[in-house]
Amino acid sequence: MERGRLLEMATIFGAAAVLGVLAYVAAVGLYEIDNYGKAAEKTAFGAGQYTTVRVYATQFRWVFDVNGTRTINEVKIKAGRLYRFEVTSVDVVHSFYIRELGYKYDAIPGQWYVLWVKIDRPGTYHILCAEFCGAGHYLMMGKIVVEP
């Protein structure tokens, strides 16, 4: 009986230690993601040199506003530069999902969410709506074109 009790306690403490390490790694990673732009601004590279991209989700398209120029379902950015994406919705809840980068932010009417993005590899990255937003939900696809 004593040996079984020790094995049970070792299993509980071992599982707690593993979960503690995973929680720490997740917390550090989320902090890095949420504060990426703030940290980049403090370095010589960042120093306030970023471009703001406003993203408006509306049924069933993405509207991008870069310095007053609006585009629908496509935004072009430069590789290696820092961008501040400000995401909101005009009508219902949407979800701004860049699957290749693993970014997913909800777009909620009346709320602005900030997403800091710096993509080093040129190419095309797909944007999907990961929240069912109506009958034309499947049409809500956009792309980020990263130019060298």
Side-chain angles (χ1 to χ4, degrees), residues 35-50 82 84 116:
N35 293 292
Y36 177 72
K38 293 175 190 170
E41 280 186 275
K42 292 178 184 175
T43 65
F45 164 74
Q49 297 177 4
Y50 59 86
L82 184 62
R84 175 187 165 112
W116 292 94

Side-chain angles (χ1 to χ4, degrees), residues 62-130:
W62 300 102
V63 179
F64 299 96
D65 186 339
V66 183
N67 298 326
T69 303
R70 287 192 171 200
T71 57
I72 296 175
N73 291 334
E74 181 178 319
V75 64
K76 293 183 180 181
I77 64 174
K78 300 285 184 190
R81 293 202 183 150
L82 184 62
Y83 290 86
R84 175 187 165 112
F85 280 69
E86 297 176 350
V87 182
T88 192
S89 174
V90 175
D91 43 31
V92 298
V93 176
H94 298 278
S95 190
F96 186 74
Y97 179 43
I98 309 170
R99 66 178 176 202
E100 292 92 353
L101 301 177
Y103 290 126
K104 183 178 171 202
Y105 278 72
D106 286 338
I108 299 173
Q111 305 264 345
W112 288 93
Y113 292 95
V114 176
L115 167 66
W116 292 94
V117 176
K118 180 181 162 222
I119 305 173
D120 293 323
R121 287 181 296 148
T124 301
Y125 298 85
H126 297 90
I127 302 168
L128 305 172
C129 179

